[in-house]
Amino acid sequence: MSGRAVVVGSGPNGLVAAVALAAAGREVVLLEAAERFGGGLRSEELTLPGRVHDVGATVMALALASPAFRELGVERLVEFAHPPVAAAHPLDDRPAVLIHRDARRTAEGLGADGAAWRACVGAAARAGLPLTDLLLKPLGPWSGSPRAFASAAAFGLAGLAPATTFARRVFRTPEARAAFAGLAAHSMLDLRAPLSGAYGLMLGTLAHLVGWPLVRGGSQVLADALVGRLRELGGEAVTGHRVRRLGELAEFGAGVVVLDVTPRQFLAMADLPPAYRRRLRRYRYGPAVFKMDWALDGPVPWRDPAVAAAGTVHLGGTLEEIALSEAEMARGRHSPRPYVLLVQPYAADPTRGGHTLWAYCHVPHGSPVDMTAAIEAQIERYAPGFRDRVLARHAMGPAALEAFDANLVGGDIGGGLASLVQFARRPVWSPAPWRTPLPGVFLCSAATPPGAGTHGMGGWQAARLALRARQRPEWWGGC
């Protein structure tokens, strides 16, 4: 590859692509439209001065499991802080379910379903990083041991089931079923949909395999560390530079271009072949989130004190309640008792200026509805007196999220619907979907495999393809 490698967008995938290209000896320039690097890794003082809030991702299980981040030595760049409990699932009339790093300890808390948890989630965790490596590299030639392949095949067969089917088939108790539903609902799918079970199984596996840590000081620390590493390798990183058309990149002497953008932005940036353009236009974005951040004068007053030790808390009650909430969202409705995903960073990281908290619920794509009252009611349900602890609050609906980061189209934080069909066609069906019809131009956002999450695998795969590409600047003229 000759000429510069130009990476557009500095979310996790763009950052990984830029560092991987620079580490291979290429001349790299990273362009970011915002005034700060990071995309979904940015941290801001959203409520009170000195309070550090992660606007996007906080929990970094996928970063520790990712082959891309491991190859780049991310654990040498930042400090990961583990909460005493990975995740908690409060219930109305019984103790909360606690998901520990230790699978056996988790199983002990599940009573009659302990053996079942060890047999499914625990078994996947015991398969280790060879299994997650295969799951995070869903396309391309298989490499790994026969044992890892067998584990991945078993995982795939189990995970194809809807989360509701999986939970009822595997578990007998309301506690275990509820805990699995809380994990699976991260998918933002109707829990009766195929593949929703895989998300619950994967997140449970990661909890036991690598934990659910945070980056000490905020997610921005990880973004800044990767930018620092890029510059150490001789790369250039520029903020405040929005790229509207690919032709603008000719001034940078681009030999190849890696785009951390979704199909909608790519369609606007380039003159694409009609057939490919039609395929991109069929790409489906998913539901949105309504996100809230709070500055508190102390910890959340959970009815079950054990929940205070959890970094992540799933609020929504039983399997049936969570499934109903997600089904309403999938139909374009707003649940009065939504599933709420809540993160209390202070459980792991005391360096963020006090007791900061964030949570979101799922809403229809582009929803204009203010869900503040519904979210806070769900917290009060399990933590009476919560509102009395609030010093300041900050809300971001779908429009505000998209204004913050153009990749969050309609408030979709997943880069596109996580359905079974789109898992195989992300953003188009191709053995190398990171490659585009434009020579030397690659996509690497969450709209490419393996999808959403702070794993950088889209950027890693795009960079690997780009390193094999020849300089082909002919796309400059028509873009």
Side-chain angles (χ1 to χ4, degrees):
M1 183 180 73
S2 58
R4 273 183 165 183
V6 178
V7 179
V8 178
S10 68
N13 287 299
L15 289 168
V16 165
V19 175
L21 289 164
R26 310 307 182 187
E27 186 179 357
V28 178
V29 59
L30 172 67
L31 302 177
E32 168 57 51
E35 295 304 318
R36 298 182 75 182
F37 296 108
L41 293 178
R42 277 178 283 173
S43 303
E44 305 281 353
E45 293 181 348
L46 296 177
T47 56
L48 298 175
R51 298 291 183 110
V52 178
H53 298 269
D54 293 329
V55 184
T58 295
V59 180
M60 298 290 172
L62 282 168
L64 292 186
S66 164
F69 276 124
R70 297 204 312 272
E71 184 174 290
L72 298 181
V74 69
E75 289 192 79
R76 297 191 299 272
L77 299 177
V78 298
E79 181 181 354
F80 288 94
H82 289 263
V85 176
H89 193 112
L91 294 164
D92 290 311
D93 55 354
R94 60 197 78 195
V97 180
L98 304 180
I99 299 176
H100 298 276
R101 178 81 176 269
D102 187 333
R104 277 188 284 187
R105 189 176 176 190
T106 303
E108 288 169 1
L110 289 173
D113 273 325
W117 187 273
R118 289 195 300 271
C120 60
V121 182
R126 288 191 297 275
L129 290 173
L131 170 61
T132 56
D133 285 357
L134 284 172
L135 295 175
L136 289 171
K137 294 188 288 186
L139 301 172
W142 166 64
S143 62
S145 69
R147 181 178 179 183
F149 181 76
S151 297
F155 183 101
L157 287 173
L160 279 173
T164 49
T165 301
F166 183 97
R168 289 172 180 142
R169 184 176 63 208
V170 174
F171 303 120
R172 293 177 290 164
T173 65
E175 292 89 344
R177 290 178 175 181
F180 189 81
L183 294 169
H186 281 245
S187 68
M188 299 175 68
L189 292 171
D190 186 330
L191 297 190
R192 302 168 301 176
L195 202 64
S196 57
Y199 291 90
L201 192 53
M202 180 68 162
L203 287 168
T205 297
L206 290 172
H208 301 321
L209 181 60
V210 296
W212 283 16
L214 292 70
V215 174
R216 187 172 297 275
S219 297
Q220 185 74 53
V221 173
L222 175 56
D224 292 345
L226 289 169
V227 172
R229 179 60 180 149
L230 171 63
R231 288 171 170 158
E232 286 176 3
L233 292 166
E236 182 182 356
V238 180
T239 58
H241 190 111
R242 184 175 299 278
V243 177
R244 291 179 171 82
R245 298 287 291 174
L246 290 188
E248 300 168 18
L249 303 180
E251 65 178 279
F252 293 96
V256 298
V257 173
V258 180
L259 301 170
D260 187 0
V261 303
T262 74
R264 179 177 295 184
Q265 290 99 298
F266 188 38
L267 284 165
M269 293 169 71
D271 294 329
L272 299 168
Y276 187 76
R277 178 172 288 272
R278 286 194 298 271
R279 293 162 73 193
L280 283 189
R281 283 177 173 161
R282 290 199 295 267
Y283 189 76
R284 295 181 62 196
Y285 292 92
V289 303
F290 186 95
K291 180 178 183 284
M292 295 194 67
D293 289 84
W294 297 269
L296 308 178
D297 66 3
V300 177
W302 299 108
R303 181 181 287 115
D304 184 341
V307 180
T312 302
V313 184
H314 300 145
L315 305 175
T318 64
L319 164 67
E320 290 73 22
E321 287 181 274
I322 295 173
L324 176 60
S325 168
E326 297 303 278
E328 289 287 284
M329 175 270 299
R331 295 189 189 103
R333 303 171 185 165
H334 298 79
S335 172
R337 299 184 92 181
Y339 164 78
V340 172
L341 193 157
L342 178 147
V343 175
Q344 38 191 18
Y346 56 83
D349 180 9
T351 70
R352 301 189 179 205
H355 291 83
T356 62
L357 187 77
W358 70 252
Y360 65 62
C361 71
H362 301 152
V363 296
H365 186 88
S367 167
V369 175
D370 187 336
M371 297 295 287
T372 299
I375 290 174
E376 292 193 345
Q378 283 288 64
I379 301 174
E380 283 277 345
R381 176 181 171 186
Y382 301 103
F386 161 74
R387 289 190 181 96
D388 296 334
R389 293 280 172 90
V390 176
L391 298 174
R393 56 174 57 81
H394 180 272
M396 297 180 77
L401 288 165
E402 185 173 353
F404 172 79
D405 183 342
N407 277 8
L408 308 182
V409 177
D412 175 6
I413 63 172
L417 186 67
S419 65
L420 179 60
V421 170
Q422 205 152 264
F423 178 78
R425 191 181 66 197
R426 195 171 185 94
V428 298
W429 168 245
S430 168
W434 310 275
R435 193 191 306 274
T436 78
L438 301 181
V441 179
F442 304 87
L443 291 176
C444 75
S445 72
T448 65
T454 306
H455 46 65
M457 290 300 296
W460 190 63
Q461 296 281 31
R464 295 177 74 186
L465 291 171
L467 287 169
R468 298 198 293 268
R470 298 172 60 190
Q471 184 179 11
R472 299 287 295 277
E474 58 264 37
W475 48 264
W476 291 350
C479 298

